[in-house]
Amino acid sequence: MRLCRFNSNRLGIVEGEEVVDVTGALEVLPAARYPLPVHDLLIEHLDRVIERARALAPGGPRLPLGSVRLESPVANPSKIINAPVNYEAHIEEAKHDKVLAQGTAGRKTSFIGDWGLFLKANSALVGCGTEMRLRMPERRSDHEVELAVIIGRTANRVRREDALAHVAGYSIGLDMSVRGQEDRSFRKSIDTYAVLGPWLVTPDEVPDPNRLDLSLSVNGELRQSSNTSRMVFDVGRLIEYASAWYTLLPGDIILTGTPEGVGGVKPGDVIHARIERIGAFDMRVAGAYDG
Ligand code: MN
């Protein structure tokens, strides 16, 4: 199933080029009162929401996909976890790009197991129906297309072989990045610099997340094209690694790293991101002071 959030917190099932509005399924969620839980309630109760959504779908209003504004399929992750150097060819290109290399200067190793993971601020998160807004016009802002894993069940010190049972679904992530020598979390947490879209795809439609073509083009020009089989740490190992350090909660997002071909974008550009079995989206880049 492809489940989307759209038009100010409506819930939809995506079927072909249509969205079936099943917002009524959110009624199964417990009423939350202050202090609110830190994890995502919809993802925690995803099985019940999907069951109700299926029941509502035959009578649900159908809207053209192109007419809705898609929001992040996860509203309230407790954290956005990121893999920094997870494709060999991207590690290689970083050695030959002075601006890209600023973030890695002085490191004696390029192995993810030595680097660890990093976090992006939750406030950077947007869906693909929002414009990506550059904030530092004089600095280079790069696109990074990444398979996004959405955690479905609490995962604490899970083993790699048990890891995929903790996944609620998959999506496409853009780990947008200002280049420079500051700490990663600082440069990559700008508002709109964490994109999740176009929807959540349940694991039954993605039998092997470690074997998916992914690509990104800018204004129709192909920039990144690879396959998740080239990840240094695969999805199971990333969940094992991340959950060794933190408890993963329902709705937590893991951006699994970007392949080679990263590069800058400018206002007016249209980014097209695609991952096999998940889908694709277009996203406009806006300037720092537009609108
Ligand atoms: Mn990245």
Side-chain angles (χ1 to χ4, degrees):
M1 179 182 281
R2 296 177 166 192
L3 207 61
C4 71
R5 293 178 60 255
F6 68 102
N7 296 2
S8 300
N9 303 309
R10 302 201 71 77
L11 184 72
I13 296 174
V14 179
E15 291 182 357
E17 291 302 309
E18 287 185 321
V19 175
V20 186
D21 190 327
V22 290
T23 304
L26 298 176
E27 299 290 327
V28 305
L29 297 180
R33 298 195 57 173
Y34 181 86
L36 300 173
V38 295
H39 64 272
D40 190 277
L41 279 180
L42 193 164
I43 303 297
E44 180 187 16
H45 298 284
L46 190 61
D47 289 349
R48 288 178 58 204
V49 171
I50 285 177
E51 186 186 343
R52 186 78 189 118
R54 277 193 215 284
L56 291 172
R62 302 181 82 91
L63 306 160
L65 186 53
S67 74
V68 307
R69 196 172 60 83
L70 290 167
E71 294 163 348
S72 167
V74 182
N76 298 300
S78 86
K79 49 195 170 298
I80 304 171
I81 300 162
N82 301 259
V85 279
N86 208 21
Y87 286 80
E88 287 294 348
H90 173 55
I91 296 166
E92 275 307 306
E93 77 175 341
K95 292 176 183 165
H96 306 292
D97 180 329
K98 280 199 175 102
V99 181
L100 199 53
Q102 280 182 313
T104 60
R107 298 276 189 142
K108 291 189 172 57
T109 169
S110 56
F111 175 53
I112 181 174
D114 295 325
W115 280 67
L117 306 170
F118 68 94
L119 301 175
K120 278 168 93 93
N122 299 346
S123 53
L125 182 64
V126 289
C128 57
T130 305
E131 286 186 327
M132 221 233 82
R133 184 167 292 251
L134 303 178
R135 194 169 175 113
M136 301 282 157
E138 71 288 2
R139 298 273 296 263
R140 187 174 128 190
S141 280
D142 281 12
H143 53 75
E144 296 189 356
V145 65
E146 313 197 358
L147 172 67
V149 177
I150 300 163
I151 296 296
R153 311 199 268 123
T154 298
N156 188 16
R157 295 196 177 96
V158 301
R159 294 180 307 170
R160 181 184 191 169
E161 51 269 38
D162 303 324
L164 295 188
H166 296 76
V167 173
Y170 300 95
S171 190
I172 304 171
L174 296 184
D175 173 22
M176 298 301 298
S177 310
V178 168
R179 295 302 175 200
Q181 57 194 348
E182 300 93 341
D183 184 82
R184 276 188 168 76
S185 293
F186 185 67
R187 293 183 282 108
K188 291 169 170 268
S189 287
I190 292 172
D191 297 353
T192 77
Y193 275 47
V195 181
L196 194 68
W199 38 68
L200 177 155
V201 179
T202 50
D204 55 295
E205 299 197 15
V206 187
D208 186 359
N210 300 310
R211 204 182 176 87
L212 299 172
D213 284 332
L214 74 170
S215 64
L216 181 144
S217 56
V218 178
N219 304 330
E221 178 199 331
L222 186 64
R223 296 267 190 94
Q224 297 187 268
S225 180
S226 189
N227 187 284
T228 56
S229 62
R230 300 198 182 117
M231 292 193 291
V232 178
F233 276 10
D234 67 9
V235 172
R237 178 73 183 104
L238 282 172
I239 293 171
E240 179 180 64
Y241 190 39
S243 74
W245 285 77
Y246 342 94
T247 300
L248 308 183
L249 302 175
D252 280 3
I253 298 161
I254 302 178
L255 298 183
T256 56
T258 199
E260 70 279 15
V262 303
V265 293
K266 57 185 189 311
D269 283 350
V270 176
I271 295 171
H272 179 78
R274 183 188 165 278
I275 300 185
E276 185 181 2
R277 291 185 180 271
I278 295 173
F281 63 75
D282 288 312
M283 191 164 188
R284 279 192 75 80
V285 179
Y289 309 107
D290 294 357

